[in-house]
């Protein structure tokens, strides 16, 4: 059997590679070099990157087998998550792996900026003993403004507390009470900018944050302000910062990140007030070990078809052990539903009843949707793009849960309303100690069949002789019946035959059966992949 291919496009820790182990074919490439990256993507199942590889729509299109993109770190601004989602590709990151390192790097740059450490060091190594030129400022008693009080912003706040600073922050998405618990006062961006002696940026790069600190803002700061950016280049406009420092409107800056990286020739590097590092926030042994092992674990889970807690483009929370067996069941029910419906429903309810409903079962809804669209679209359908496909087709999906399940311990139902108002439903359960998949209801008829690869459902007017005709016609075409069940609403009313057969029933045979028994509907379902 060929092993899944994992393409490592940037440096990954030895510990991360060790977690991948021998079950995968691990290949390496230089992700920053497009001429290497794009051809290398042709047959890979997983891609591992850091910040230097642009995983854009072009890269995703170049990887038809790709199932997961793993970012060994935090920022996902180099990954087109939307394009990945459309292609059904899972995106994961390692959200806590390097936050301590990034926070410590922030402290290093705040202190270095306050005390001119780097500049004095360079001068001394150059044979210059200059003391007054490098007179700095204390942190004690100063106001530090944190932009983005998320994971790293909070670690920075904690670490700054003992320095005797006053902490203020701008983060409209954080409850003020949470900030207050940490001794941080939440203010508007304008107030933070006006009051701070140090401004430290810990925002994600997005349309809203790009250029957030630009020329206008840099005209409103205290001239003594020092600006630190260990988040993403471009959130502080580099041109505006250069001019502000040159004009004495900003006292200094500590920069780890740049709008375009690698960056070796920024005009900012000419300024003595600027201390800069080449995106080293996450570059510690500890952070790299954590990032490498976390993403390697996620890649393994993703390629094993398991739910991945760190996936950023899969809805739903952690999956309880009790819920896991329900996933293939729900997927199968989704496929049977589409075969029965013959079209995409306008309204779809995924009902989960019984003991498992006590858990977070949102993933069951995903699995059902995956099944519903499996035979509808050409592209591969995954937990990632299934909700998107439903949305694109205007299907109104609802998850209904209830602890009440009178007949079965747990039962999952996929119920839909079609464009002409018809209702279609199929329910299933996992039965007995061996947890055998059973279909227990179709369109309101109770039954108990084991869904094998080939199924057939016939609805007709209840009368004698039908089973014989169906058996005879199938026999004539060499199709062996594995099981058959007949259910009806009332004697002489509407009846349903559910069949499992050993080989696919060709369309013309199904049509012949429907016509000979005058069936209201006949649906065949082929569940093999
Ligand atoms: N220099 C380096 O090597 C590293 C840089 N980073 C970067 O640090 C930044 C922060 O990372 P985390 O703290 O882990 O992220 P996070 O998601 O935990 O925190 C971001 C905070 O920003 C806030 N926020 C988001 N959009 C906002 C907006 N438009 N206006 C105001 N606030 C907004 C959020 O509410 C959140 O509290 C990211 O840009 C990440 O890429 C992360 C690790 C290492
Ligand atoms: O994790 C992040 O967001 C970082 O900026 C770290 O980037 P890196 O993995 O060092 O290229």
């Amino acid at each position: 059997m060929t092993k899944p291919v994992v393409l490592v496009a940037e440096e990954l820790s030895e510990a991360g590679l060790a977690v991948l182990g021998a079950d995968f074919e691990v290949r390496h490439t230089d992700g920053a070099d497009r001429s290497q990256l794009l051809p290398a993507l042709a047959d890979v199942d997983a891609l591992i990157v850091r910040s230097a590889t642009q995983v854009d729509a072009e890269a995703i299109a170049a990887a038809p087998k790709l199932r997961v993109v793993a970012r060994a770190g935090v920022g996902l601004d180099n990954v087109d998550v939307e394009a990945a989602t459309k292609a059904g590709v899972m995106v994961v990151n390692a959200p806590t792996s390097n936050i301590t390192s990034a926070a410590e790097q922030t402290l290093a740059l705040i202190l270095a900026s306050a005390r001119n450490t780097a500049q004095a060091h360079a001068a001394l190594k150059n044979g210059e003993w200059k003391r007054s030129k490098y007179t700095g400022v204390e942190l004690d008693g100063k106001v530090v403004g944190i932009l983005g009080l998320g994971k790293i912003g909070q670690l920075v706040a904690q670490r700054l507390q003992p320095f005797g600073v006053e902490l203020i922050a701008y983060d409209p998405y954080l409850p003020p009470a949470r900030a207050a618990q940490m001794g941080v006062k939440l203010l508007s961006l304008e107030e933070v900018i006006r009051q701070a002696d140090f401004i430290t940026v810990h925002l994600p790069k997005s349309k809203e944050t790009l250029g957030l600190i630009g020329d206008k803002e840099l005209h409103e700061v205290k001239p003594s302000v020092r600006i630190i950016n260990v988040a993403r280049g471009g959130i502080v406009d580099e041109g505006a910062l250069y001019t502000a420092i040159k004009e004495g409107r900003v006292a200094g800056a500590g920069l780890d990140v740049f709008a375009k990286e690698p960056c070796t020739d920024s005009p900012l590097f000419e300024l003595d007030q600027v201390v800069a590092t080449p995106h080293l926030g996450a570059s510690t042994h500890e952070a790299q070990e954590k990032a490498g092992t976390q993403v390697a674990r996620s890649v393994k889970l993703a390629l094993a078809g398991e739910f991945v807690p760190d996936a950023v483009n899969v809805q739903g929370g952690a999956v309880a052990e009790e819920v896991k067996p329900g996933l293939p069941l729900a997927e199968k029910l989704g496929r049977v539903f589409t075969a029965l419906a013959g079209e995409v429903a306008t309204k779809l309810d995924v009902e989960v009843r019984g003991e498992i409903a006590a858990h977070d079962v949102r993933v069951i809804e995903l699995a059902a949707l995956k099944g519903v669209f499996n035979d509808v679209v050409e592209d591969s359908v995954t937990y990632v793009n299934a909700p998107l496909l439903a949305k694109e087709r205007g299907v109104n999906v609802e998850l209904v849960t209830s602890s009440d399940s009178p007949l079965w311990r747990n039962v999952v139902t996929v119920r839909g309303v079609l464009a002409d108002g018809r209702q279609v439903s199929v329910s299933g359960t996992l039965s007995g100690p061996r947890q055998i998949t059973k279909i227990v209801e179709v369109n309101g008829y109770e039954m108990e069949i084991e869904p094998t690869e080939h199924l057939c459902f016939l609805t007709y007017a209840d009368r004698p002789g039908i089973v014989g005709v169906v058996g005879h016609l199938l026999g004539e075409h060499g199709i062996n019946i594995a099981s058959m069940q007949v259910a009806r609403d009332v004697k002489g009313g509407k009846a349903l035959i559910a069949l499992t057969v050993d080989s696919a029933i060709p369309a013309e045979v199904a049509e012949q059966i429907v016509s000979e028994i005058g069936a209201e509907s006949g649906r065949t379902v082929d569940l093999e992949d």
Side-chain angles (χ1 to χ4, degrees), residues 453-476:
E453 277 179 5
H454 309 287
L455 303 157
C456 176
F457 298 95
L458 299 159
T459 315
Y460 61 99
D462 183 32
R463 60 192 192 282
I466 300 302
V467 170
V469 176
V470 173
H472 177 72
L473 282 172
L474 288 173
E476 252 185 9

Side-chain angles (χ1 to χ4, degrees), residues 328-351 364-365 367-376 390 393 395-398 412-428 439-444 449 451 455-457 521-527:
L329 168 70
E331 190 173 335
K332 208 164 254 188
L333 293 173
R335 291 185 70 181
V336 173
F337 174 87
T338 295
L340 287 170
E343 63 185 68
V344 174
T346 53
K347 166 99 180 71
L348 202 68
D349 284 348
V350 178
E351 300 171 4
I364 297 233
E365 176 187 334
L369 284 182
K370 186 167 178 260
V372 163
F373 289 108
N374 189 77
D375 306 309
V376 173
R393 282 161 176 77
V395 186
N396 175 7
V397 188
E398 208 172 319
V412 177
T413 302
V414 180
R415 186 188 308 282
V417 180
L418 309 186
D420 62 3
R422 261 185 312 136
Q423 286 214 22
V424 173
S425 68
V426 56
S427 305
I439 291 180
V440 294
E441 177 268 345
V442 168
N443 292 343
I449 60 162
L455 303 157
C456 176
F457 298 95
S521 79
R523 295 278 179 205
T524 56
V525 187
D526 295 305
L527 291 176

Side-chain angles (χ1 to χ4, degrees), residues 10 50-52 71-75 98 231-232 257 279 282-283 288:
E10 291 181 58
R50 284 176 61 183
S51 61
R71 195 303 190 208
V74 173
N98 58 29
R232 278 297 176 270
V257 285
H279 201 150
S283 294
Q288 285 315 307

